[in-house]
Amino acid sequence: MKIRKELWFGLSFMALVIIGAATLLLSVEKVTNGHLGLLMLSLVVTAIMLGFPTAFTLMGMGMIFTWLAYNRDTTKTLDLMVQAAFKTMSSDVLIAIPLFVFMGYLVERANLIEKLFKSLHLAMARIPGSLAVATLVTCAIFATATGIVGAVVTLMGLLALPAMLRAGYSVPMAAGSITAGGCLGILIPPSVLLIVYGATAGVSVVQLYAGAFFPGLMLTGLYIFYVILVAKLKPQWAPPLSAADRVVTLPPLTQQLTTGTDKYAPTGLLGALKGKRNADVPLGHILRQLTIVVLPGLLFLLVLLTSYRAVTTVEAEAVYDIQQIGASSPSAEPAADAGGLREPPQEEGLQEPPAEGSLQEPPSGDVQEPPGTATSPAGPVGAGVVEPPGAAPADPETAAATGATTRDAPTWWWVSFAIFGALVALFYLFLSFARLEIFKMLLTSFFPLMILIVAVLGSIVMGLATPTEAAAMGALGGFVLAIAYKRLTLSVLQESVFLTAKTSAMVCWLFVGSAIFSAAFALLGGQELVENWVLSMNLSKTQFLVMSQAIIFVLGWPLEWTEIIVIFMPIFIPLLDNFGVDPLFFGLLVALNLQTAFLSPPVAMAAFYLKGVAPKHVTLNQIFLGMLPFMAIQVLAIVLLYQFPAIGLWLPQLLYK
């Protein structure tokens, strides 16, 4: 009851402030409705920073200022609110949001992240800063499967932070790796932010997903490079793993085949298969191990053959016998009983010219051009020059074979083949029994997630499914993974459904509030006022992008990405055409930039997520200190994307010409 009274008091106070400020502004000379729109924008930001709910603040402000713009006409105000809400909620793109969120919560509760982190940090044990690198890779993979920043940061804070602190890592390095890696879900598909931006800006979500793929990999690579560099230069900040931490325990049956974990696995298994082996080791166990050993090679050959056939086979284009009206067919005479419109028989018509002479114009009295018919430079349309049956076509291109043809494999295929072939060769060259056990751990943690990610993102990017259909596939895949790992219980399902409904309702209410706010802002002329102000500065394209990204960077301190997208993107998007900026490219810059909303003090939600699960001696100042270098890397990534737009635009242009 006390909370309700405080809420009503706050709302009443805000309403009085709004009405008083609006009345004061309207009483001043040279104040237009556009200035009233700017007042609404500033009051919305102030109310959100004071802690008022974003969606209801947007709706309330929009209704009050629409009522003022319509000269206190309540009917028009309510009509605008209903129409804006209906138009927003009828968007099919929003259906993908609850499905992707549901997939994320199910995968999170399948407890794959613990196995994934353990297998990755063992696989990367010899890399400098291996625990931090494994943390970043785990966060990137898990962010791809979930896209929920708070969940990834919290889980990695419980799992990776104690392990790094025990290994002697500095608190800023450990905290910065977790918070920066956890925020990758904002950019890497399937990102909810990209869906919200696409629905707000009218950009294809499929193309946004394709465009964000390589920038996400680039940012992850920059993070990993920074960690490895720091571990090399300052080993006391990220010491290497001890020998005890790198020990891999072999299963009991495998221990009976070998005395050491460093023994070469393929020869050991083949020797046990051909020669004498311990009677306690069943033959089935050895065959299963050998099957796992040859699995990467078989998979590589399968991908090699199928991809080679795909890139070297060119399907011939279908040739249709489409002729102009009145032109004769070069084929044989039609059957007597053929249906359709036919030329009536005439004794004096267009005849085949004499064999010894050249083609001649028919007599003018026989065939005349109807009045008003334009003639082409090559002659009258439908002129009856007929080739004899069976004559070869004059154009050699029309004589192409109807079957598929082959071509040489492109250079990028040979480069990819060489890289993956080298990786497979290295795998077999250094495959000890310990590495075989690590590979088996990856098979049960890493590869199921990768199959799910490739199935969802691949179907979207290749055009096999819409984002909504792919999200439904992902939700089913998360359901199957939870069953396979025996984590699907009634309580887990109930909690996942509840959190999905809560998150989806928040996003949908934000869209409704944004639609009402944007309609009121445009009605008051605020958009036109902002556009005229920006254009009056005579900015170049680069200056406009720098200014817009700087504004978004600053807004990321007090506001979350949802508020920035739904409030400020409708203001920036109409300005893009004036500066020749592609909305897709602008969206990728915004997605990179908005990661600062979770990493920049004083709000920095990722820091508070981590602080909630960190040991007591880990302070917020230490977490903020660890996040600063990763914020600088984000700025570097934005600069690289601007200087080399092909990083984000190459894949969409290749797939969606």
Side-chain angles (χ1 to χ4, degrees):
M1 195 69 180
K2 182 179 179 182
I3 297 176
R4 187 173 300 176
K5 287 181 179 179
E6 291 177 352
L7 179 61
W8 277 113
F9 174 77
L11 291 175
S12 302
F13 176 74
M14 287 298 299
L16 290 174
V17 170
I18 293 167
I19 296 174
T23 305
L24 179 62
L25 276 177
L26 290 175
S27 64
V28 179
E29 295 182 358
K30 297 182 180 180
V31 174
T32 63
N33 281 348
H35 295 91
L36 202 61
L38 295 180
L39 172 66
M40 177 180 66
L41 178 63
S42 60
L43 288 176
V44 163
V45 175
T46 303
I48 292 172
M49 292 177 64
L50 290 175
F52 285 88
T54 304
F56 299 106
T57 300
L58 290 171
M59 285 188 287
M61 294 284 187
M63 289 182 62
I64 292 174
F65 279 86
T66 302
W67 180 70
L68 293 174
Y70 278 136
N71 296 320
R72 286 79 172 170
D73 191 335
T74 306
T75 303
K76 290 184 179 180
T77 302
L78 294 177
D79 287 343
L80 178 66
M81 183 189 72
V82 172
Q83 291 172 6
F86 179 79
K87 180 182 177 182
T88 300
M89 297 312 299
S90 60
S91 175
D92 295 336
V93 178
L94 297 182
I95 303 176
I97 293 177
L99 293 172
F100 275 131
V101 172
F102 184 63
M103 177 189 77
Y105 282 121
L106 283 177
V107 171
E108 173 195 343
R109 278 150 182 75
N111 201 23
L112 289 177
I113 193 169
E114 183 176 356
K115 295 180 180 179
L116 180 62
F117 175 71
K118 184 177 181 181
S119 57
L120 284 176
H121 97 255
L122 287 174
M124 302 175 180
R126 299 186 183 278
I127 297 177
S130 57
L131 280 176
V133 173
T135 298
L136 289 170
V137 176
T138 304
C139 287
I141 296 171
F142 212 63
T144 307
T146 62
I148 305 168
V149 172
V152 177
V153 173
T154 302
L155 288 175
M156 292 306 295
L158 291 171
L159 182 64
L161 184 60
M164 285 192 279
L165 294 180
R166 285 196 304 268
Y169 279 62
S170 67
V171 174
M173 171 62 74
S177 302
I178 294 173
T179 52
C183 293
L184 288 170
I186 299 175
L187 175 64
I188 299 178
S191 168
V192 176
L193 179 146
L194 296 178
I195 299 177
V196 176
Y197 176 84
T200 303
V203 181
S204 169
V205 177
V206 176
Q207 296 188 22
L208 281 171
Y209 277 3
F213 182 73
F214 284 114
L217 290 181
M218 176 186 69
L219 187 60
T220 306
L222 290 174
Y223 286 164
I224 293 174
F225 176 77
Y226 165 75
V227 167
I228 294 176
L229 184 64
V230 170
K232 274 287 189 182
L233 299 178
K234 298 285 186 180
Q236 65 272 18
W237 291 2
L241 287 177
S242 62
D245 293 331
R246 297 200 301 265
V247 171
V248 178
T249 304
L250 300 180
L253 292 177
T254 306
Q255 290 179 4
Q256 298 181 19
L257 296 176
T258 178
T259 57
T261 59
D262 294 335
K263 186 177 180 181
Y264 191 59
T267 56
L269 292 172
L270 288 175
L273 184 64
K274 293 188 300 182
K276 295 182 180 180
R277 68 175 190 276
N278 195 314
D280 295 333
V281 181
L283 179 62
H285 173 75
I286 300 176
L287 293 177
R288 285 193 297 271
Q289 304 303 308
L290 284 173
T291 302
I292 296 173
V293 169
V294 301
L295 186 61
L298 294 176
L299 183 62
F300 173 73
L301 291 177
L302 178 63
V303 173
L304 171 67
L305 295 176
T306 55
S307 63
Y308 182 80
R309 181 175 299 178
V311 300
T312 56
T313 302
V314 180
E315 296 292 338
E317 296 184 1
V319 179
Y320 300 97
D321 190 14
I322 300 176
Q323 301 178 10
Q324 296 176 343
I325 298 175
S328 301
S329 173
S331 59
E333 295 181 2
D337 57 346
L341 296 176
R342 291 179 293 177
E343 189 73 21
Q346 296 180 1
E347 296 180 358
E348 295 182 0
L350 297 178
Q351 304 292 334
E352 189 71 24
E356 67 274 10
S358 59
L359 293 177
Q360 299 177 358
E361 190 73 12
S364 59
D366 293 339
V367 179
Q368 296 181 354
E369 195 69 28
T373 305
T375 57
S376 63
V381 177
V385 179
V386 184
E387 292 186 11
D395 189 359
E397 293 183 0
T398 60
T402 57
T405 58
T406 59
R407 64 180 178 184
D408 294 335
T411 304
W412 64 264
W413 184 88
W414 287 109
V415 173
S416 303
F417 164 72
I419 293 174
F420 287 109
L423 292 176
V424 173
L426 288 175
F427 171 79
Y428 284 111
L429 189 61
F430 298 101
L431 185 60
S432 62
F433 277 99
R435 293 190 175 93
L436 179 59
E437 291 303 315
I438 296 174
F439 179 68
K440 288 162 61 178
M441 294 171 63
L442 289 172
L443 278 179
T444 58
S445 59
F446 175 76
F447 291 102
L449 277 177
M450 290 305 300
I451 292 173
L452 176 64
I453 294 167
V454 169
V456 173
L457 297 184
S459 60
I460 295 175
V461 173
M462 300 305 296
L464 302 177
T466 64
T468 302
E469 294 167 346
M473 290 173 48
L476 177 62
F479 202 82
V480 172
L481 281 179
I483 294 176
Y485 288 91
K486 299 178 181 179
R487 298 286 180 176
L488 187 63
T489 61
L490 184 60
S491 61
V492 168
L493 185 61
Q494 287 176 342
E495 187 176 359
S496 299
V497 171
F498 172 76
L499 292 174
T500 300
K502 181 180 178 181
T503 305
S504 304
M506 180 268 293
V507 173
C508 291
W509 277 116
L510 275 174
F511 262 100
V512 172
S514 171
I516 297 173
F517 172 82
S518 300
F521 192 72
L523 182 65
L524 291 168
Q527 177 63 47
E528 183 180 358
L529 190 66
V530 172
E531 186 171 349
N532 292 334
W533 173 68
V534 173
L535 294 178
S536 66
M537 291 189 289
N538 295 322
L539 300 175
S540 65
K541 177 181 176 180
T542 303
Q543 291 171 336
F544 168 73
L545 286 175
V546 170
M547 183 191 72
S548 60
Q549 296 304 317
I551 292 173
I552 294 172
F553 182 84
V554 174
L555 289 173
W557 296 355
L559 302 177
E560 293 190 13
W561 67 263
T562 50
E563 298 156 354
I564 296 173
I565 291 289
V566 300
I567 297 175
F568 291 95
M569 287 305 104
I571 299 175
F572 283 115
I573 296 301
L575 295 169
L576 299 182
D577 288 338
N578 298 309
F579 296 95
V581 179
D582 186 359
L584 172 62
F585 179 67
F586 188 77
L588 299 179
L589 290 175
V590 170
L592 271 173
N593 199 346
L594 279 180
Q595 300 209 37
T596 58
F598 282 87
L599 291 181
S600 55
V603 178
M605 293 304 298
F608 292 99
Y609 290 143
L610 182 60
K611 176 58 181 173
V613 296
K616 293 183 179 180
H617 68 274
V618 176
T619 64
L620 272 176
N621 288 335
Q622 290 175 315
I623 298 176
F624 287 152
L625 182 62
M627 292 191 304
L628 291 178
F630 292 95
M631 285 181 59
I633 293 174
Q634 289 177 0
V635 176
L636 174 62
I638 294 174
V639 173
L640 289 175
L641 181 59
Y642 177 75
Q643 292 295 327
F644 307 99
I647 297 174
L649 299 180
W650 175 77
L651 189 58
Q653 291 173 352
L654 177 68
L655 297 176
Y656 315 110
K657 295 180 181 178

